Amino acid sequence: MDYRDAFRGALENIRGEGRYRVFADLKRRRGQFPLATWTRPDGSQQDVTVWCSNDYLGQGQNPVVTDAMKRAIDEAGSGSGGTRNISGTTHYHVELEAELADLHGKEAALLFTSGYVSNEATLSTLYKILPGLIIFSDQFNHNSMISGIRVGRRDQRRVFRHNDLAHLEELLAAAPADAPKLVAFESVYSMDGDIADIRGTVALAKKYGAMTYIDEVHAVGMYGPRGAGVAERDGVMADIDIVEGTLGKAFGVMGGYVAADAVIVDAIRCYADGFIFTTSLPPALAAGAVASIRYLKEHNEVRLAHQERAATLKAMLAKAGIPVMPSVSHIVPVMVGDAVHCKMISDILLADHGIYVQPINYPTVPRGTERLRFTPSPAHTDEMMRHLAQALEALWVRCNVQRIGGVAA
């Protein structure tokens, strides 16, 4: 048997659906965010504007952050030297966890190597600590949350319709009253740009004796007076049992974390395989994250500028007749509805207009809802936005993307 045939077949399936992804060779230019240099397949280079970065606030370019990272390298070297349990706990890690706990008003925080790992490791570990735990999960939760929740048996998992509190209550009411329960949901859902009813979710959880676990990865740094997320903005952060976040988006670095009561964090630290058995973050990343968090705690004007830029782009695209999906957040999704068209538009935008935005296809979103997802930052100018709107307006005709009953034709 030639095992390679199976791999070829798997790739051909993706190509046949029009969603085979080719990575763009980009080099960001320090101090010029959101500009970058694209190296084409033929080796030539082109200036492009990046429109899909999760470095939402450009903190990865902030001298406050990069200088802190340089100092940490000079002081401590490159890697951490091991797992946290062996030699990989440094002063930088301890300082960062304290900063994160303070950000969310919790007793403690725990660092992971990524937001994906923090979700997967924490949720799977809760089954170990709470035998018989039933997790109630929003239908649109991130893959990392789903992966962690799948560790439990099928009778230990319940999926409620997206942001449907009536359905959540129905499931909570039907569960055994004496079973431990946890409601897991996100604040900002990054593909649609909608925001959960956090206050309503917390109220239901308390009514039925359930803990709450909120993923704020697309909100930390960007919402609330100090950037702790939507739960802070809405005044309900103290009512959330476990907050999960990332350092790799608005904070501009890398890593994930959870924040909660000290006893919860300590138990996760002692039981989570995804924490115990992996090398810790390099000191420079931890130092950069501390600097970024401290900066954003004190600079609410960055958040205000970010929201203004997102609102301006939505208005420009809507005026140009581009099908912007309803979004109450900083996410600006544009519906295409077809994988082939979506990739075609993305490719032409890059090659002909110097605009870089990746197509969002299945399995990130359901088939038939393929889209372009724009993430304007405070550094995206009106001129950049006009250029984008004009390019999209022309391409919507050129690529024959027409909206008929919500489906691309």
Side-chain angles (χ1 to χ4, degrees), residues 95-152:
E95 188 177 33
L96 176 53
E97 286 173 339
E99 200 68 43
L100 289 165
D102 173 78
L103 176 67
H104 292 288
K106 301 299 183 185
E107 293 177 347
L110 189 67
L111 277 173
F112 292 85
T113 51
S114 74
Y116 191 103
V117 174
S118 57
N119 265 333
E120 184 180 54
T122 300
L123 287 166
S124 62
T125 298
L126 293 177
Y127 284 117
K128 300 178 187 178
I129 299 170
L130 299 168
L133 173 68
I134 301 173
I135 295 183
F136 300 80
S137 174
D138 187 284
Q139 173 189 4
F140 285 178
N141 276 344
H142 190 265
N143 179 272
S144 57
M145 300 176 75
I146 295 169
S147 180
I149 293 168
R150 279 179 179 157
V151 170

Tab-separated table of all heavy atoms in Angstrom, residues 95-152:
chain	number	residue	atom	x	y	z
A	95	GLU	N	5.734	37.440	37.317
A	95	GLU	CA	5.276	38.820	37.178
A	95	GLU	C	4.085	38.914	36.232
A	95	GLU	O	3.118	39.645	36.490
A	95	GLU	CB	6.441	39.685	36.671
A	95	GLU	CG	6.156	41.170	36.660
A	95	GLU	CD	7.366	41.976	36.222
A	95	GLU	OE1	8.161	41.482	35.385
A	95	GLU	OE2	7.532	43.107	36.718
A	96	LEU	N	4.145	38.162	35.125
A	96	LEU	CA	3.052	38.195	34.153
A	96	LEU	C	1.770	37.617	34.735
A	96	LEU	O	0.679	38.169	34.533
A	96	LEU	CB	3.462	37.444	32.880
A	96	LEU	CG	2.390	37.307	31.788
A	96	LEU	CD1	1.801	38.667	31.413
A	96	LEU	CD2	2.990	36.624	30.556
A	97	GLU	N	1.861	36.521	35.453
A	97	GLU	CA	0.655	35.938	36.041
A	97	GLU	C	0.025	36.882	37.060
A	97	GLU	O	-1.206	36.992	37.140
A	97	GLU	CB	0.985	34.581	36.660
A	97	GLU	CG	1.200	33.503	35.598
A	97	GLU	CD	1.691	32.178	36.137
A	97	GLU	OE1	2.247	32.148	37.256
A	97	GLU	OE2	1.537	31.157	35.429
A	98	ALA	N	0.850	37.589	37.800
A	98	ALA	CA	0.320	38.573	38.744
A	98	ALA	C	-0.378	39.714	38.005
A	98	ALA	O	-1.437	40.209	38.431
A	98	ALA	CB	1.439	39.117	39.625
A	99	GLU	N	0.197	40.139	36.892
A	99	GLU	CA	-0.388	41.217	36.092
A	99	GLU	C	-1.737	40.799	35.515
A	99	GLU	O	-2.692	41.588	35.471
A	99	GLU	CB	0.576	41.597	34.969
A	99	GLU	CG	0.348	42.959	34.370
A	99	GLU	CD	0.669	44.099	35.328
A	99	GLU	OE1	1.700	44.037	36.021
A	99	GLU	OE2	-0.128	45.062	35.362
A	100	LEU	N	-1.832	39.558	35.065
A	100	LEU	CA	-3.078	39.045	34.494
A	100	LEU	C	-4.160	38.890	35.559
A	100	LEU	O	-5.331	39.194	35.320
A	100	LEU	CB	-2.824	37.703	33.804
A	100	LEU	CG	-2.019	37.788	32.510
A	100	LEU	CD1	-1.515	36.411	32.093
A	100	LEU	CD2	-2.863	38.401	31.394
A	101	ALA	N	-3.777	38.408	36.729
A	101	ALA	CA	-4.740	38.292	37.820
A	101	ALA	C	-5.296	39.675	38.182
A	101	ALA	O	-6.509	39.844	38.369
A	101	ALA	CB	-4.088	37.643	39.036
A	102	ASP	N	-4.414	40.667	38.235
A	102	ASP	CA	-4.848	42.030	38.528
A	102	ASP	C	-5.765	42.562	37.427
A	102	ASP	O	-6.775	43.219	37.710
A	102	ASP	CB	-3.624	42.942	38.673
A	102	ASP	CG	-4.019	44.406	38.811
A	102	ASP	OD1	-4.427	44.805	39.910
A	102	ASP	OD2	-3.935	45.143	37.802
A	103	LEU	N	-5.436	42.286	36.178
A	103	LEU	CA	-6.250	42.759	35.058
A	103	LEU	C	-7.691	42.299	35.196
A	103	LEU	O	-8.629	43.072	34.963
A	103	LEU	CB	-5.656	42.247	33.730
A	103	LEU	CG	-6.448	42.581	32.464
A	103	LEU	CD1	-6.431	44.078	32.195
A	103	LEU	CD2	-5.879	41.813	31.264
A	104	HIS	N	-7.882	41.039	35.580
A	104	HIS	CA	-9.229	40.476	35.635
A	104	HIS	C	-9.844	40.493	37.033
A	104	HIS	O	-10.942	39.968	37.228
A	104	HIS	CB	-9.202	39.038	35.098
A	104	HIS	CG	-8.913	38.969	33.629
A	104	HIS	ND1	-9.834	39.351	32.675
A	104	HIS	CD2	-7.801	38.586	32.954
A	104	HIS	CE1	-9.297	39.199	31.473
A	104	HIS	NE2	-8.068	38.745	31.608
A	105	GLY	N	-9.134	41.093	37.991
A	105	GLY	CA	-9.682	41.157	39.330
A	105	GLY	C	-9.838	39.796	39.974
A	105	GLY	O	-10.760	39.571	40.773
A	106	LYS	N	-8.929	38.878	39.656
A	106	LYS	CA	-8.970	37.521	40.214
A	106	LYS	C	-7.781	37.312	41.148
A	106	LYS	O	-6.815	38.070	41.155
A	106	LYS	CB	-8.934	36.486	39.086
A	106	LYS	CG	-10.082	36.600	38.091
A	106	LYS	CD	-11.442	36.397	38.743
A	106	LYS	CE	-12.562	36.454	37.719
A	106	LYS	NZ	-13.901	36.387	38.367
A	107	GLU	N	-7.849	36.236	41.928
A	107	GLU	CA	-6.782	35.965	42.881
A	107	GLU	C	-5.513	35.449	42.220
A	107	GLU	O	-4.411	35.655	42.733
A	107	GLU	CB	-7.260	34.931	43.912
A	107	GLU	CG	-8.355	35.437	44.835
A	107	GLU	CD	-8.846	34.376	45.798
A	107	GLU	OE1	-8.523	33.181	45.595
A	107	GLU	OE2	-9.557	34.736	46.749
A	108	ALA	N	-5.667	34.754	41.091
A	108	ALA	CA	-4.495	34.124	40.460
A	108	ALA	C	-4.725	33.947	38.972
A	108	ALA	O	-5.848	34.052	38.469
A	108	ALA	CB	-4.207	32.769	41.118
A	109	ALA	N	-3.638	33.677	38.265
A	109	ALA	CA	-3.693	33.383	36.831
A	109	ALA	C	-2.642	32.325	36.516
A	109	ALA	O	-1.688	32.135	37.281
A	109	ALA	CB	-3.450	34.639	35.997
A	110	LEU	N	-2.841	31.646	35.399
A	110	LEU	CA	-1.917	30.587	34.997
A	110	LEU	C	-1.616	30.723	33.514
A	110	LEU	O	-2.541	30.803	32.694
A	110	LEU	CB	-2.526	29.214	35.274
A	110	LEU	CG	-1.598	28.001	35.100
A	110	LEU	CD1	-0.490	28.003	36.154
A	110	LEU	CD2	-2.406	26.700	35.181
A	111	LEU	N	-0.328	30.743	33.159
A	111	LEU	CA	0.110	30.902	31.775
A	111	LEU	C	0.147	29.575	31.037
A	111	LEU	O	0.539	28.545	31.594
A	111	LEU	CB	1.516	31.498	31.739
A	111	LEU	CG	1.666	33.008	31.872
A	111	LEU	CD1	3.134	33.364	31.984
A	111	LEU	CD2	1.026	33.702	30.671
A	112	PHE	N	-0.198	29.617	29.759
A	112	PHE	CA	-0.050	28.487	28.850
A	112	PHE	C	0.689	28.980	27.601
A	112	PHE	O	0.860	30.179	27.406
A	112	PHE	CB	-1.412	27.915	28.459
A	112	PHE	CG	-2.147	27.238	29.585
A	112	PHE	CD1	-2.927	27.979	30.462
A	112	PHE	CD2	-2.071	25.864	29.768
A	112	PHE	CE1	-3.613	27.366	31.501
A	112	PHE	CE2	-2.749	25.243	30.805
A	112	PHE	CZ	-3.519	25.989	31.672
A	113	THR	N	1.079	28.048	26.755
A	113	THR	CA	1.862	28.429	25.578
A	113	THR	C	1.030	29.059	24.474
A	113	THR	O	1.583	29.694	23.568
A	113	THR	CB	2.612	27.210	25.014
A	113	THR	OG1	1.678	26.133	24.840
A	113	THR	CG2	3.718	26.772	25.958
A	114	SER	N	-0.288	28.896	24.505
A	114	SER	CA	-1.149	29.542	23.516
A	114	SER	C	-2.569	29.586	24.049
A	114	SER	O	-2.922	28.879	25.006
A	114	SER	CB	-1.132	28.786	22.178
A	114	SER	OG	-1.879	27.580	22.268
A	115	GLY	N	-3.403	30.392	23.409
A	115	GLY	CA	-4.807	30.433	23.773
A	115	GLY	C	-5.489	29.113	23.497
A	115	GLY	O	-6.395	28.703	24.230
A	116	TYR	N	-5.087	28.433	22.433
A	116	TYR	CA	-5.663	27.126	22.115
A	116	TYR	C	-5.383	26.152	23.256
A	116	TYR	O	-6.281	25.460	23.740
A	116	TYR	CB	-5.078	26.584	20.807
A	116	TYR	CG	-5.820	25.371	20.272
A	116	TYR	CD1	-6.701	25.512	19.210
A	116	TYR	CD2	-5.652	24.114	20.838
A	116	TYR	CE1	-7.399	24.404	18.719
A	116	TYR	CE2	-6.344	23.018	20.371
A	116	TYR	CZ	-7.214	23.166	19.300
A	116	TYR	OH	-7.922	22.077	18.835
A	117	VAL	N	-4.127	26.115	23.685
A	117	VAL	CA	-3.745	25.175	24.741
A	117	VAL	C	-4.439	25.511	26.055
A	117	VAL	O	-4.876	24.615	26.790
A	117	VAL	CB	-2.211	25.156	24.908
A	117	VAL	CG1	-1.812	24.296	26.101
A	117	VAL	CG2	-1.542	24.629	23.639
A	118	SER	N	-4.568	26.795	26.372
A	118	SER	CA	-5.206	27.156	27.641
A	118	SER	C	-6.659	26.698	27.667
A	118	SER	O	-7.149	26.219	28.699
A	118	SER	CB	-5.103	28.663	27.898
A	118	SER	OG	-5.665	29.413	26.859
A	119	ASN	N	-7.379	26.828	26.560
A	119	ASN	CA	-8.754	26.337	26.492
A	119	ASN	C	-8.809	24.815	26.566
A	119	ASN	O	-9.533	24.247	27.392
A	119	ASN	CB	-9.416	26.792	25.186
A	119	ASN	CG	-10.209	28.072	25.339
A	119	ASN	OD1	-10.695	28.397	26.421
A	119	ASN	ND2	-10.350	28.805	24.257
A	120	GLU	N	-8.062	24.164	25.706
A	120	GLU	CA	-8.113	22.708	25.629
A	120	GLU	C	-7.681	22.068	26.948
A	120	GLU	O	-8.343	21.157	27.475
A	120	GLU	CB	-7.232	22.211	24.485
A	120	GLU	CG	-7.293	20.715	24.252
A	120	GLU	CD	-6.408	20.293	23.103
A	120	GLU	OE1	-5.205	20.633	23.130
A	120	GLU	OE2	-6.900	19.629	22.175
A	121	ALA	N	-6.570	22.537	27.507
A	121	ALA	CA	-6.034	21.946	28.727
A	121	ALA	C	-6.938	22.206	29.926
A	121	ALA	O	-7.190	21.300	30.742
A	121	ALA	CB	-4.633	22.494	28.987
A	122	THR	N	-7.431	23.419	30.057
A	122	THR	CA	-8.253	23.743	31.226
A	122	THR	C	-9.585	23.008	31.199
A	122	THR	O	-9.993	22.397	32.199
A	122	THR	CB	-8.493	25.260	31.304
A	122	THR	OG1	-7.232	25.931	31.410
A	122	THR	CG2	-9.348	25.610	32.506
A	123	LEU	N	-10.291	23.056	30.077
A	123	LEU	CA	-11.611	22.424	30.021
A	123	LEU	C	-11.518	20.910	30.188
A	123	LEU	O	-12.347	20.300	30.865
A	123	LEU	CB	-12.307	22.795	28.709
A	123	LEU	CG	-12.798	24.249	28.660
A	123	LEU	CD1	-13.154	24.658	27.235
A	123	LEU	CD2	-13.987	24.454	29.586
A	124	SER	N	-10.505	20.297	29.578
A	124	SER	CA	-10.350	18.849	29.740
A	124	SER	C	-9.979	18.502	31.183
A	124	SER	O	-10.403	17.461	31.716
A	124	SER	CB	-9.295	18.306	28.774
A	124	SER	OG	-8.019	18.875	29.027
A	125	THR	N	-9.222	19.366	31.837
A	125	THR	CA	-8.801	19.120	33.218
A	125	THR	C	-9.970	19.230	34.201
A	125	THR	O	-10.001	18.542	35.225
A	125	THR	CB	-7.683	20.105	33.602
A	125	THR	OG1	-6.558	19.896	32.750
A	125	THR	CG2	-7.250	19.924	35.048
A	126	LEU	N	-10.925	20.080	33.900
A	126	LEU	CA	-12.062	20.237	34.807
A	126	LEU	C	-12.826	18.933	34.985
A	126	LEU	O	-13.410	18.688	36.054
A	126	LEU	CB	-12.989	21.345	34.297
A	126	LEU	CG	-12.398	22.755	34.322
A	126	LEU	CD1	-13.372	23.760	33.741
A	126	LEU	CD2	-11.996	23.167	35.735
A	127	TYR	N	-12.831	18.082	33.964
A	127	TYR	CA	-13.477	16.767	34.099
A	127	TYR	C	-12.761	15.911	35.144
A	127	TYR	O	-13.383	15.099	35.830
A	127	TYR	CB	-13.488	16.034	32.760
A	127	TYR	CG	-14.502	16.534	31.767
A	127	TYR	CD1	-14.087	17.092	30.558
A	127	TYR	CD2	-15.864	16.443	32.005
A	127	TYR	CE1	-15.006	17.535	29.616
A	127	TYR	CE2	-16.795	16.885	31.082
A	127	TYR	CZ	-16.362	17.435	29.889
A	127	TYR	OH	-17.285	17.879	28.966
A	128	LYS	N	-11.441	16.074	35.241
A	128	LYS	CA	-10.676	15.304	36.232
A	128	LYS	C	-10.986	15.773	37.655
A	128	LYS	O	-11.077	14.979	38.587
A	128	LYS	CB	-9.163	15.458	35.986
A	128	LYS	CG	-8.659	15.003	34.642
A	128	LYS	CD	-7.144	15.278	34.566
A	128	LYS	CE	-6.570	15.005	33.205
A	128	LYS	NZ	-5.113	15.326	33.147
A	129	ILE	N	-11.119	17.078	37.799
A	129	ILE	CA	-11.280	17.663	39.120
A	129	ILE	C	-12.722	17.554	39.620
A	129	ILE	O	-12.965	17.433	40.826
A	129	ILE	CB	-10.816	19.131	39.093
A	129	ILE	CG1	-9.325	19.213	38.717
A	129	ILE	CG2	-11.050	19.825	40.427
A	129	ILE	CD1	-8.843	20.617	38.428
A	130	LEU	N	-13.677	17.592	38.699
A	130	LEU	CA	-15.096	17.556	39.048
A	130	LEU	C	-15.748	16.327	38.411
A	130	LEU	O	-16.328	16.413	37.321
A	130	LEU	CB	-15.790	18.832	38.562
A	130	LEU	CG	-15.284	20.153	39.142
A	130	LEU	CD1	-15.849	21.331	38.362
A	130	LEU	CD2	-15.644	20.259	40.616
A	131	PRO	N	-15.678	15.158	39.037
A	131	PRO	CA	-16.267	13.933	38.463
A	131	PRO	C	-17.761	14.123	38.194
A	131	PRO	O	-18.495	14.674	39.015
A	131	PRO	CB	-16.030	12.890	39.561
A	131	PRO	CG	-14.865	13.406	40.332
A	131	PRO	CD	-15.000	14.902	40.321
A	132	GLY	N	-18.183	13.676	37.000
A	132	GLY	CA	-19.578	13.815	36.620
A	132	GLY	C	-19.938	15.172	36.071
A	132	GLY	O	-21.118	15.467	35.808
A	133	LEU	N	-18.929	16.043	35.868
A	133	LEU	CA	-19.169	17.398	35.359
A	133	LEU	C	-19.902	17.374	34.028
A	133	LEU	O	-19.563	16.605	33.123
A	133	LEU	CB	-17.827	18.120	35.190
A	133	LEU	CG	-17.865	19.495	34.499
A	133	LEU	CD1	-18.578	20.528	35.373
A	133	LEU	CD2	-16.455	19.953	34.156
A	134	ILE	N	-20.915	18.225	33.907
A	134	ILE	CA	-21.604	18.442	32.628
A	134	ILE	C	-21.248	19.842	32.147
A	134	ILE	O	-21.446	20.831	32.871
A	134	ILE	CB	-23.134	18.321	32.772
A	134	ILE	CG1	-23.519	16.930	33.294
A	134	ILE	CG2	-23.814	18.585	31.422
A	134	ILE	CD1	-24.997	16.795	33.613
A	135	ILE	N	-20.691	19.937	30.948
A	135	ILE	CA	-20.334	21.239	30.380
A	135	ILE	C	-21.371	21.622	29.322
A	135	ILE	O	-21.668	20.839	28.408
A	135	ILE	CB	-18.926	21.229	29.769
A	135	ILE	CG1	-17.870	20.995	30.863
A	135	ILE	CG2	-18.644	22.548	29.046
A	135	ILE	CD1	-16.439	21.050	30.375
A	136	PHE	N	-21.920	22.810	29.461
A	136	PHE	CA	-22.886	23.371	28.522
A	136	PHE	C	-22.127	24.347	27.624
A	136	PHE	O	-21.609	25.370	28.093
A	136	PHE	CB	-24.020	24.064	29.279
A	136	PHE	CG	-24.784	23.138	30.186
A	136	PHE	CD1	-24.270	22.806	31.434
A	136	PHE	CD2	-25.988	22.587	29.784
A	136	PHE	CE1	-24.961	21.938	32.272
A	136	PHE	CE2	-26.683	21.721	30.617
A	136	PHE	CZ	-26.170	21.386	31.867
A	137	SER	N	-22.055	24.028	26.344
A	137	SER	CA	-21.179	24.740	25.410
A	137	SER	C	-21.978	25.427	24.313
A	137	SER	O	-22.860	24.809	23.691
A	137	SER	CB	-20.193	23.741	24.782
A	137	SER	OG	-19.413	24.340	23.777
A	138	ASP	N	-21.661	26.707	24.070
A	138	ASP	CA	-22.302	27.431	22.964
A	138	ASP	C	-21.949	26.758	21.635
A	138	ASP	O	-20.824	26.323	21.407
A	138	ASP	CB	-21.840	28.888	22.952
A	138	ASP	CG	-22.580	29.734	21.935
A	138	ASP	OD1	-22.286	29.621	20.723
A	138	ASP	OD2	-23.460	30.510	22.335
A	139	GLN	N	-22.924	26.696	20.757
A	139	GLN	CA	-22.785	26.049	19.451
A	139	GLN	C	-21.608	26.584	18.641
A	139	GLN	O	-20.983	25.855	17.880
A	139	GLN	CB	-24.086	26.251	18.671
A	139	GLN	CG	-24.094	25.792	17.232
A	139	GLN	CD	-25.359	26.231	16.507
A	139	GLN	OE1	-26.194	26.945	17.074
A	139	GLN	NE2	-25.509	25.801	15.267
A	140	PHE	N	-21.295	27.864	18.800
A	140	PHE	CA	-20.249	28.487	17.998
A	140	PHE	C	-18.929	28.643	18.749
A	140	PHE	O	-18.061	29.409	18.329
A	140	PHE	CB	-20.704	29.857	17.490
A	140	PHE	CG	-21.698	29.804	16.369
A	140	PHE	CD1	-22.239	30.970	15.834
A	140	PHE	CD2	-22.122	28.588	15.837
A	140	PHE	CE1	-23.164	30.917	14.801
A	140	PHE	CE2	-23.048	28.531	14.807
A	140	PHE	CZ	-23.571	29.701	14.296
A	141	ASN	N	-18.754	27.922	19.837
A	141	ASN	CA	-17.495	28.013	20.568
A	141	ASN	C	-16.315	27.618	19.695
A	141	ASN	O	-16.448	26.782	18.784
A	141	ASN	CB	-17.533	27.130	21.818
A	141	ASN	CG	-18.179	27.815	23.001
A	141	ASN	OD1	-18.354	29.034	23.013
A	141	ASN	ND2	-18.543	27.046	24.018
A	142	HIS	N	-15.156	28.168	20.020
A	142	HIS	CA	-13.944	27.922	19.252
A	142	HIS	C	-13.543	26.450	19.307
A	142	HIS	O	-13.836	25.737	20.272
A	142	HIS	CB	-12.806	28.791	19.802
A	142	HIS	CG	-11.590	28.799	18.944
A	142	HIS	ND1	-10.524	27.956	19.158
A	142	HIS	CD2	-11.262	29.557	17.864
A	142	HIS	CE1	-9.583	28.194	18.253
A	142	HIS	NE2	-10.007	29.169	17.460
A	143	ASN	N	-12.847	26.006	18.264
A	143	ASN	CA	-12.399	24.620	18.182
A	143	ASN	C	-11.600	24.190	19.405
A	143	ASN	O	-11.681	23.039	19.842
A	143	ASN	CB	-11.567	24.431	16.909
A	143	ASN	CG	-11.046	23.019	16.761
A	143	ASN	OD1	-9.973	22.691	17.272
A	143	ASN	ND2	-11.788	22.175	16.079
A	144	SER	N	-10.815	25.086	19.982
A	144	SER	CA	-10.011	24.746	21.149
A	144	SER	C	-10.890	24.401	22.350
A	144	SER	O	-10.562	23.513	23.148
A	144	SER	CB	-9.080	25.906	21.509
A	144	SER	OG	-9.810	27.098	21.740
A	145	MET	N	-12.016	25.092	22.489
A	145	MET	CA	-12.951	24.785	23.563
A	145	MET	C	-13.639	23.451	23.300
A	145	MET	O	-13.769	22.604	24.193
A	145	MET	CB	-13.990	25.902	23.702
A	145	MET	CG	-13.399	27.258	24.009
A	145	MET	SD	-14.627	28.580	24.049
A	145	MET	CE	-15.425	28.266	25.617
A	146	ILE	N	-14.059	23.260	22.057
A	146	ILE	CA	-14.719	22.006	21.689
A	146	ILE	C	-13.788	20.834	21.933
A	146	ILE	O	-14.193	19.785	22.447
A	146	ILE	CB	-15.164	22.059	20.217
A	146	ILE	CG1	-16.244	23.132	20.028
A	146	ILE	CG2	-15.675	20.703	19.749
A	146	ILE	CD1	-16.551	23.441	18.586
A	147	SER	N	-12.520	20.992	21.575
A	147	SER	CA	-11.545	19.926	21.765
A	147	SER	C	-11.407	19.553	23.238
A	147	SER	O	-11.343	18.374	23.600
A	147	SER	CB	-10.191	20.353	21.190
A	147	SER	OG	-9.228	19.342	21.349
A	148	GLY	N	-11.350	20.551	24.108
A	148	GLY	CA	-11.245	20.274	25.532
A	148	GLY	C	-12.495	19.622	26.094
A	148	GLY	O	-12.422	18.727	26.944
A	149	ILE	N	-13.648	20.040	25.609
A	149	ILE	CA	-14.924	19.520	26.106
A	149	ILE	C	-15.162	18.090	25.633
A	149	ILE	O	-15.797	17.286	26.325
A	149	ILE	CB	-16.071	20.451	25.666
A	149	ILE	CG1	-15.942	21.802	26.383
A	149	ILE	CG2	-17.437	19.830	25.929
A	149	ILE	CD1	-16.826	22.891	25.823
A	150	ARG	N	-14.639	17.732	24.482
A	150	ARG	CA	-14.837	16.381	23.946
A	150	ARG	C	-14.205	15.296	24.815
A	150	ARG	O	-14.505	14.119	24.646
A	150	ARG	CB	-14.260	16.296	22.528
A	150	ARG	CG	-15.194	16.851	21.470
A	150	ARG	CD	-14.574	16.758	20.095
A	150	ARG	NE	-15.471	17.265	19.071
A	150	ARG	CZ	-15.092	17.711	17.883
A	150	ARG	NH1	-13.789	17.733	17.572
A	150	ARG	NH2	-15.968	18.150	17.003
A	151	VAL	N	-13.322	15.673	25.717
A	151	VAL	CA	-12.696	14.693	26.603
A	151	VAL	C	-13.753	13.983	27.444
A	151	VAL	O	-13.629	12.807	27.770
A	151	VAL	CB	-11.651	15.388	27.501
A	151	VAL	CG1	-11.159	14.455	28.603
A	151	VAL	CG2	-10.472	15.861	26.651
A	152	GLY	N	-14.808	14.698	27.813
A	152	GLY	CA	-15.876	14.091	28.599
A	152	GLY	C	-16.716	13.141	27.754
A	152	GLY	O	-16.705	13.178	26.523
